């Protein structure tokens, strides 16, 4: 795992009526707190980036008055300055960027131009539901941003005590296992690894006939084979001795349901997962498991891109302000 030292935080300062709110919402606060916590663990550098509006040009004002765009920019910069001060009080180095445009594009362009190791975003929760909901910015970032994307739950209380990583034995998911193990070691967290095998009925849905007297044997064989493959994959990564046997989980059924159940049962703080690129599409498309899973998560999630992933988002020169004493 590369050191997560160069940290970009996507700061959402808007609400339904204003470009910059009077109070920082819980999702933004959680992202800022996680970035400061992570930077303290890694001796990292933080950049707080806020996209305050789509286009300054439509806010025309008389020559002797500040435009609405300038006033919004100043208000947003003041909030970001406060976050920089918090980071500096914790002994860290931080700066800020205020820009306009589409948040996912500006964040991705910042990653391309400045080579950030991770992007941290806040999530949202639907009223009355105990689940994390990724907004449009989060979903787009998971698809187009070349760096890992860490979406923080508003209920995240800071420390990472338990990490869950799910694997389907693909190259990307194995990289996720390796990353999760390194994070668990670095942050002194408990690591759990999960693989899900299909229900007995699945081959029938795929048109594979199974005689009644072979159905039980089929499930037993699949479970045993999956367990062997899971153990072998951990051995190849050199993790056999570092993960407790009862922390290696084999579940049955759809992977998304198995992951959600394990998160709830174990009280997981962070889910580490790989994303999957589909052939013929520019950028990245999250696989079916993740698409079903993400709207229902109750913990934070770190999503990793496939090795060699390239985004089609074009960089541009952004105007920025560096925080200083």
């Amino acid at each position: 795992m590369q050191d997560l030292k160069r940290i970009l935080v996507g700061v959402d300062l808007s609400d339904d009526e204003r470009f910059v709110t009077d109070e920082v919402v819980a999702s933004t606060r959680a992202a800022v707190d996680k970035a400061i916590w992570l930077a303290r663990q890694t001796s990292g550098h933080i950049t707080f980036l806020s996209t305050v509006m789509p286009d300054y040009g439509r806010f025309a004002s008389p020559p002797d008055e500040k435009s609405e765009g300038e006033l919004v920019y100043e208000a947003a910069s003041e909030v970001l300055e406060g976050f920089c001060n918090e980071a500096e009080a914790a002994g860290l180095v931080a700066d800020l960027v205020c820009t306009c445009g589409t948040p996912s594009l500006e964040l991705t362009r910042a990653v391309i131009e400045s080579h950030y190791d991770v992007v941290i975003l806040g999530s949202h929760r639907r009223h009355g539901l105990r689940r994390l909901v990724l907004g449009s910015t989060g979903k787009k970032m998971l698809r187009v941003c070349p760096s890992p994307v860490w979406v923080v739950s508003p209920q995240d209380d800071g420390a990472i005590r338990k990490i869950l990583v799910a694997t389907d034995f693909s190259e990307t998911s194995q990289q996720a296992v390796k990353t999760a193990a390194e994070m668990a070691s670095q942050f002194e967290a408990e690591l759990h690894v999960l693989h899900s095998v299909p229900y007995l009925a699945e081959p029938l849905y795929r048109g594979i006939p199974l005689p009644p007297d072979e159905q039980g044997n089929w499930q037993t064989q699949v479970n045993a084979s999956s367990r062997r493959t899971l153990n072998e994959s951990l051995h190849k990564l050199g993790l056999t001795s570092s993960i407790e046997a009862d922390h290696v989980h084999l579940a049955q059924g759809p992977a998304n349901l198995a992951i959600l159940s394990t998160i709830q049962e174990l009280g997981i703080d962070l889910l580490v997962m790989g994303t999957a690129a589909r052939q013929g599409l520019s950028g990245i498309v999250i696989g079916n498991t993740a698409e079903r899973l993400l709207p229902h998560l109750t913990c934070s999630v770190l999503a990793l891109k496939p090795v060699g992933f390239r985004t089609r988002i074009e960089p541009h020169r952004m105007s920025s302000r560096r925080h200083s004493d």
Side-chain angles (χ1 to χ4, degrees):
M1 180 187 74
Q2 62 185 29
D3 290 333
L4 303 181
K5 291 188 174 182
R6 291 186 54 78
I7 303 166
L8 179 64
V9 186
V11 179
D12 182 4
L13 299 177
S14 65
D15 61 14
D16 293 335
E17 298 179 354
R18 294 165 294 182
F19 290 117
V20 180
T21 60
D22 296 330
E23 297 182 2
V24 176
V25 297
S27 58
T28 293
R29 182 71 257 177
V32 170
D33 290 343
K34 180 58 66 179
I36 292 175
W37 175 86
L38 179 61
R40 293 183 68 179
Q41 306 301 311
T42 63
S43 300
H45 174 283
I46 305 174
T47 296
F48 298 101
L49 185 151
S50 181
T51 304
V52 294
M53 62 180 63
D55 182 12
Y56 286 131
R58 61 192 181 96
F59 296 95
S61 298
D64 58 342
E65 296 181 11
K66 289 184 178 180
S67 68
E68 184 174 351
E70 290 172 323
L71 293 174
V72 170
Y73 181 92
E74 289 179 358
S77 296
E78 183 177 348
V79 176
L80 297 183
E81 289 277 0
F83 294 151
C84 288
N85 290 335
E86 288 184 41
E88 290 185 349
L92 304 170
V93 177
D95 60 13
L96 66 89
V97 174
C98 265
T99 186
C100 59
T102 303
S104 59
L105 295 182
E106 298 307 313
L107 287 165
T108 300
R109 285 166 175 157
V111 169
I112 296 170
E113 295 166 359
S114 300
H115 307 289
Y116 289 100
D117 298 322
V118 63
V119 178
I120 297 180
L121 301 169
S123 64
H124 302 278
R125 288 186 182 275
R126 293 177 182 171
H127 297 295
L129 296 178
R130 291 180 54 82
R131 63 181 185 178
L132 176 158
V133 178
L134 293 181
S136 59
T137 297
K139 289 181 179 179
K140 290 176 182 176
M141 289 296 290
L142 289 175
R143 294 177 177 180
V144 303
C145 182
S147 73
V149 177
W150 192 328
V151 184
V152 182
S153 165
Q155 303 304 312
D156 193 311
D157 62 2
I160 299 175
R161 294 170 292 271
K162 294 184 178 181
I163 298 174
L164 174 67
V165 58
T167 178
D168 60 2
F169 310 132
S170 65
E171 180 180 0
T172 305
S173 69
Q174 289 301 93
Q175 181 60 40
V177 173
K178 182 179 179 181
T179 296
E182 292 173 350
M183 292 181 70
S185 176
Q186 182 176 5
F187 304 144
E188 299 182 351
E190 186 176 291
L191 177 63
H192 293 264
V193 181
L194 173 67
H195 174 71
S196 179
V197 297
Y199 282 128
L200 173 64
E202 182 162 324
L204 302 180
Y205 290 135
R206 296 186 178 185
I208 303 174
L210 287 178
D213 58 346
E214 293 185 13
Q215 292 179 5
N217 290 336
W218 180 87
Q219 189 69 68
T220 300
Q221 292 171 8
V222 169
N223 290 350
S225 176
S226 297
R227 173 65 71 177
R228 286 194 300 271
T229 303
L230 179 56
N231 291 336
E232 290 170 359
S233 69
L234 295 178
H235 178 73
K236 289 179 181 179
L237 293 173
L239 300 176
T240 303
S241 61
S242 60
I243 302 179
E244 298 183 26
D246 59 353
H247 290 180
V248 180
H249 307 277
L250 194 69
Q252 285 187 329
N256 59 311
L257 297 182
I259 292 170
L260 290 173
S261 177
T262 304
I263 288 172
Q264 182 177 9
E265 178 183 351
L266 299 178
I268 296 297
D269 300 302
L270 177 67
L271 169 66
V272 179
M273 59 187 299
T275 53
R278 293 178 181 169
Q279 296 295 325
L281 296 180
S282 62
I284 193 165
V285 177
I286 303 172
N288 291 335
T289 295
E291 290 281 12
R292 293 191 298 267
L293 174 68
L294 290 175
H296 304 280
L297 287 175
T298 56
C299 68
S300 299
V301 57
L302 177 64
L304 308 178
K305 299 299 188 297
V307 175
F309 169 78
R310 292 185 178 182
T311 182
R312 286 198 172 186
I313 303 300
E314 295 292 336
H316 65 64
R317 183 179 297 275
M318 292 191 307
S319 60
S320 64
R321 293 176 51 205
R322 183 170 296 276
H323 179 74
S324 60
D325 296 330

